[in-house]
Amino acid sequence: MTLQEHSETGMEFYQYCQQEFDAELSKFKTKLGKKKSSLTYHSKYITVDEFFEDREKYKVEIINSIQLNKFKFDPLTPIFLPKDKNNYRMVCVPSVKDRLVQLLFISYLEKIEKKKNLQAQDFAYKEKYAELKGVKGAHDKLKNLRKKYKYALKTDIESFFDNLDRHRILKLFEEKVGLPSLQIFFKTMINSDPIPRLIQATTDEQFRIFSTMINNKKGRGIRQGMPIASLLASFYLQDFEIVLQNAQIEFVRYADDLVVFANTRDEIEKHFELIRHELNKIQLSIPDIGSGKSEIYTPSQTVIFLGLELKKVGTEFKLFIPQKAFSELNKKVIELQGYKKNIKTGLNFYKTCQKLDQICNGYIVCYEFTSNLAEFKKHVEERKSFVYKRLLAPLGIDYTKLSSEKKRYFFNE
């Protein structure tokens, strides 16, 4: 780092790591919680708890390697989440040291007032502005703009994270953020990829499918699962969003999901063409209108955005939990009704009830600002009661005949 850079930033990155290492690690561990901090995604990597036990050793190793410009990021651990039959979404988890270093890097950019240079109007990266609060913030803005405009265009950027150009990110970082001393570090970070030997598959065919996915994505895109991924995605679309703002186009974006607004169909179609043209400049694309992925909506039509339905009710637009979510919750909780199956998956009665609560509470938290939440909560309680009834039946206990006091005692109801 040059003397000029040092005077502008106040401290170099390795010095910031020395100062904030313990605090960032404690915050990271606390946020994960006791259960997750004791888990590892692969036997080759240690847990957060194990890292925490030897934190002084790792602190010295990490800070020295950053100071000498020799820090190396580990291969990412690939996790494959099922989307539909024979189709998976790959999420990549960095090692504990790499996650911590990325978190330190993000907070360092905040400290030296460089992070603002990477941010766009992305609700998925909710730390940017106080008024942007993740999914709820995106839905609130969606409702407000839907009231003002007759037409809405909903689309999503195809294979967004996989198609982010690493060379462009490096160039943007150099131009907008600077910090030449961290160029190599930053390049190594964004070039992180998983490797086949870290795959956990149950069959040879599954291993083949997963290996092919890894090899097809190698060397391109930014891997979801890295702490830095959302910030880099926001960074990538900065100039694109400036074009939309200069054209006075109102929009809401959450990662790769985008809704734009207009008062005539002709105008909304022109917005679509501008968006497609500008995204094409940065090697990104959106589906054709009418494809199911890009659709134009009139005021009376329901817009589905981030898993919720926005419907017009009288003169107001209100958010509703879709029927698909009712079915999905039902499917997940019904899988817990058989005690023999639960035993095979390592669940006893207590853990089964705990998992049931986690699933149901997770849904309710996500939907707390919807208009049909009461109906959904009733559905949740009915499904939970059904599972409790099936679990207790082999013991000769009729759940429906238990007193309210006993239900509170056994099931915390």
Side-chain angles (χ1 to χ4, degrees):
M1 179 176 283
T2 66
L3 289 174
Q4 184 182 0
E5 282 180 80
H6 192 280
S7 65
E8 287 174 356
T9 61
M11 69 174 71
E12 296 187 35
F13 181 48
Y14 82 89
Q15 293 172 318
Y16 180 80
C17 290
Q18 276 180 323
Q19 178 180 295
E20 300 295 331
F21 187 94
D22 296 322
E24 195 67 49
L25 176 58
S26 295
K27 188 165 65 174
F28 171 39
K29 186 175 184 293
T30 301
K31 190 173 181 179
L32 277 180
K34 290 182 179 179
K35 187 174 181 180
K36 288 186 178 180
S37 65
S38 64
L39 296 176
T40 181
Y41 292 95
H42 200 281
S43 59
K44 292 186 178 296
Y45 293 142
I46 63 172
T47 66
V48 173
D49 286 343
E50 290 168 336
F51 185 94
F52 194 81
E53 285 296 313
D54 282 330
R55 58 190 177 278
E56 289 304 320
K57 180 188 79 170
Y58 292 118
K59 182 177 181 179
V60 171
E61 290 175 358
I62 289 170
I63 292 168
N64 284 344
S65 63
I66 292 173
Q67 184 178 6
L68 296 171
N69 217 9
K70 292 183 178 180
F71 184 87
K72 300 294 182 186
F73 287 89
D74 298 317
L76 302 168
T77 299
I79 308 295
F80 295 89
L81 305 175
K83 290 171 68 176
D84 45 55
K85 190 176 181 180
N86 297 324
N87 198 6
Y88 297 86
R89 180 167 70 93
M90 184 173 75
V91 174
C92 297
V93 183
S95 63
V96 175
K97 80 171 178 66
D98 289 1
R99 273 182 281 171
L100 178 61
V101 168
Q102 286 191 30
L103 291 170
L104 282 164
F105 182 69
I106 293 169
S107 62
Y108 174 67
L109 294 176
E110 179 77 56
K111 172 74 175 177
I112 63 174
E113 298 186 346
K114 292 287 187 179
K115 196 171 77 167
K116 61 187 177 183
N117 297 345
L118 283 82
Q119 296 163 347
Q121 294 190 47
D122 183 1
F123 284 86
Y125 193 73
K126 59 187 178 182
E127 296 166 293
K128 307 187 312 308
Y129 307 112
E131 69 270 19
L132 301 190
K133 298 177 181 177
V135 172
K136 186 179 186 305
H139 278 126
D140 285 345
K141 186 174 181 182
L142 180 75
K143 283 197 294 183
N144 291 333
L145 290 174
R146 195 79 169 105
K147 290 177 191 175
K148 290 172 61 177
Y149 293 91
K150 292 181 179 179
Y151 289 87
L153 165 70
K154 164 71 174 65
T155 188
D156 64 71
I157 304 171
E158 296 179 300
S159 302
F160 179 44
F161 284 92
D162 290 340
N163 285 325
L164 297 180
D165 186 332
R166 294 179 182 180
H167 296 294
R168 183 172 187 271
I169 291 174
L170 281 170
K171 186 177 179 182
L172 287 171
F173 185 82
E174 183 179 354
E175 292 174 354
K176 297 191 176 187
V177 181
L179 305 179
S181 66
L182 289 175
Q183 281 292 118
I184 295 174
F185 170 86
F186 183 73
K187 181 178 180 179
T188 306
M189 178 170 60
I190 68 169
N191 281 331
S192 297
D193 273 315
I195 54 176
R197 69 179 173 83
L198 294 178
I199 289 173
Q200 298 181 64
T202 55
T203 65
D204 290 342
E205 175 62 14
Q206 201 175 65
F207 182 84
R208 185 192 65 78
I209 292 170
F210 294 165
S211 296
T212 301
M213 284 182 68
I214 286 175
N215 291 330
N216 287 343
K217 297 174 188 287
K218 187 176 180 180
R220 65 185 182 87
I222 298 297
R223 301 285 78 87
Q224 286 179 274
M226 298 196 302
I228 196 74
S230 291
L231 180 57
L232 293 180
S234 176
F235 180 37
Y236 198 85
L237 292 175
Q238 269 189 342
D239 293 340
F240 163 73
E241 291 196 347
I242 288 170
V243 171
L244 298 192
Q245 290 162 4
N246 288 341
Q248 297 185 320
I249 296 174
E250 294 274 24
F251 65 95
V252 182
R253 185 173 68 81
Y254 190 100
D256 55 346
D257 286 299
L258 179 67
V259 186
V260 297
F261 303 86
N263 276 318
T264 67
R265 188 176 184 91
D266 182 60
E267 190 179 9
I268 204 86
E269 288 175 353
K270 286 179 180 177
H271 290 351
F272 176 82
E273 292 304 325
L274 175 65
I275 290 166
R276 170 171 277 180
H277 176 72
E278 291 300 322
L279 288 176
N280 186 57
K281 289 180 181 179
I282 51 175
Q283 293 80 53
L284 295 174
S285 61
I286 52 176
D288 293 333
I289 293 174
S291 62
K293 291 283 188 177
S294 293
E295 296 293 341
I296 294 174
Y297 296 89
T298 63
S300 61
Q301 291 180 301
T302 298
V303 176
I304 299 175
F305 184 61
L306 303 179
L308 293 180
E309 296 176 342
L310 183 64
K311 297 180 181 179
K312 191 171 186 181
V313 181
T315 58
E316 293 292 313
F317 284 95
K318 296 184 178 182
L319 290 162
F320 290 84
I321 305 165
Q323 285 303 309
K324 181 182 177 182
F326 285 74
S327 301
E328 285 176 352
L329 178 125
N330 182 57
K331 183 179 178 181
K332 286 181 180 180
V333 300
I334 289 301
E335 288 178 353
L336 298 172
Q337 67 176 311
Y339 79 93
K340 290 183 179 179
K341 182 180 178 182
N342 291 341
I343 290 171
K344 287 181 181 178
T345 57
L347 296 175
N348 57 24
F349 182 77
Y350 170 74
K351 288 183 178 178
T352 301
C353 293
Q354 192 177 47
K355 185 172 182 180
L356 185 62
D357 280 338
Q358 287 172 347
I359 291 170
C360 294
N361 292 340
Y363 272 86
I364 289 170
V365 167
C366 289
Y367 298 145
E368 62 183 352
F369 48 89
T370 54
S371 296
N372 60 338
L373 180 61
E375 179 189 351
F376 187 76
K377 283 183 174 179
K378 182 181 178 182
H379 175 73
V380 167
E381 292 308 313
E382 288 173 352
R383 295 297 83 202
K384 285 173 74 173
S385 296
F386 175 81
V387 173
Y388 291 150
K389 185 177 179 181
R390 295 297 295 268
L391 289 173
L392 294 176
L395 301 176
I397 300 172
D398 187 343
Y399 173 79
T400 60
K401 294 182 179 180
L402 291 177
S403 66
S404 298
E405 184 181 51
K406 287 179 180 177
K407 286 180 180 178
R408 281 197 303 272
Y409 178 75
F410 288 109
F411 304 104
N412 194 32
E413 291 195 335

